[in-house]
Amino acid sequence: EAQVTQNPRYLITVTGKKLTVTCSQNMNHEYMSWYRQDPGLGLRQIYYSMNVEVTDKGDVPEGYKVSRKEKRNFPLILESPSPNQTSLYFCASSLLNHGGSGYTFGSGTRLTVV
Amino acid sequence: DAKTTQPNSMESNEEEPVHLPCNHSTISGTDYIHWYRQLPSQGPEYVIHGLTSNVNNRMASLAIAEDRKSSTLILHRATLRDAAVYYCIFRSYNTDKLIFGTGTRLQVFP
């Protein structure tokens, strides 16, 4: 089944403790992206990647890192999490063809930073 | 970045057609119009997309105005499982980026 898999689904952590949220897709998509969703603010893009070793900032990149060493994986790294990063996170992937393909989203990771 | 305008909420009865409108007067000629929906506690789900012509798939139809300044997502027979937030979005030709707005919350009544 074609899918984007995120882990973990739920995570509670303490301020300052480094964490990684993994994202993997099995569709050979070039484009991958991370979003966060907050009440009243909707879905906002954190980082995106157009291919292996090619990443760029989205609208809210502060406090996050990403890497794209393999085509299928796009982990989101929080080096020193803070409570304002408590949010619902979604990873997504797509073919790269000038907007002509749909995104596939993961099921989400609900992160709480205390 | 180009923006879309959608009503905050709409209601429908089960098995009736639903027309969800979207205005996008600032769309560029090469941006695709995408629709996604998000059910409670789930990730957004792709529904349909188009550029200039009307499009149909198993989930819905997309009607795009001739001047491309507006579009309408059509659910032909609403079911309770269609209750969700529906997002009308541009996907940029240059960056392939999806920019989400606030969406329309669709309620479906039995």
Side-chain angles (χ1 to χ4, degrees), chain A residues 13-19 63 78-83 85 111 113:
Chain A
T13 189
V14 296
T15 299
K17 184 176 181 182
K18 181 180 178 179
L19 66 91
L78 286 72
E79 294 268 359
S80 182
S82 63
Q85 293 178 297
L111 172 66
V113 183

Side-chain angles (χ1 to χ4, degrees), chain B residues 26-107:
Chain B
T26 60
I27 191 171
S28 76
T30 54
D31 289 342
Y32 278 83
I33 299 157
H34 284 239
W35 283 82
Y36 289 75
R37 70 181 187 181
Q38 188 174 22
L39 280 66
S41 302
Q42 295 188 25
E45 175 188 24
Y46 168 80
V47 177
I48 199 166
H49 76 281
L51 187 61
T52 55
S53 304
N54 294 344
V55 184
N56 300 296
N57 66 21
R58 62 174 180 81
M59 290 180 71
S61 296
L62 176 60
I64 302 172
E66 199 169 327
D67 62 6
R68 288 189 11 103
K69 293 185 185 301
S70 65
S71 62
T72 302
L73 179 70
I74 303 164
L75 307 178
H76 296 286
R77 289 183 66 196
T79 71
L80 296 178
R81 288 173 296 179
D82 291 324
V85 177
Y86 286 79
Y87 296 99
C88 166
I89 305 159
F90 296 162
R91 188 162 185 192
S92 167
Y93 178 89
N94 292 323
T95 68
D96 263 297
K97 187 175 179 178
L98 274 181
I99 304 163
F100 284 83
T102 53
T104 296
R105 182 173 298 279
L106 175 67
Q107 291 181 280

Side-chain angles (χ1 to χ4, degrees), chain A residues 10-75:
Chain A
Y10 301 92
L11 178 60
I12 301 175
T13 189
V14 296
T15 299
K17 184 176 181 182
K18 181 180 178 179
L19 66 91
T20 299
V21 183
T22 64
C23 174
S24 180
Q25 51 94 3
N26 62 0
M27 296 164 282
N28 203 35
H29 285 167
E30 298 93 356
Y31 190 96
M32 297 186 74
S33 182
W34 277 101
Y35 287 84
R36 61 178 287 176
Q37 186 171 30
D38 303 289
L41 295 175
L43 281 141
R44 295 177 293 169
Q45 191 180 51
I46 304 170
Y47 268 95
Y48 65 95
S49 169
M50 291 194 174
N51 217 323
V52 175
E53 302 292 1
V54 180
T55 63
D56 210 344
K57 296 177 181 178
D59 298 317
V60 288
E62 294 77 21
Y64 304 95
K65 286 175 58 177
V66 293
S67 69
R68 189 91 182 270
K69 293 185 171 57
E70 304 165 286
K71 197 171 187 179
R72 63 183 293 123
N73 294 324
F74 191 46

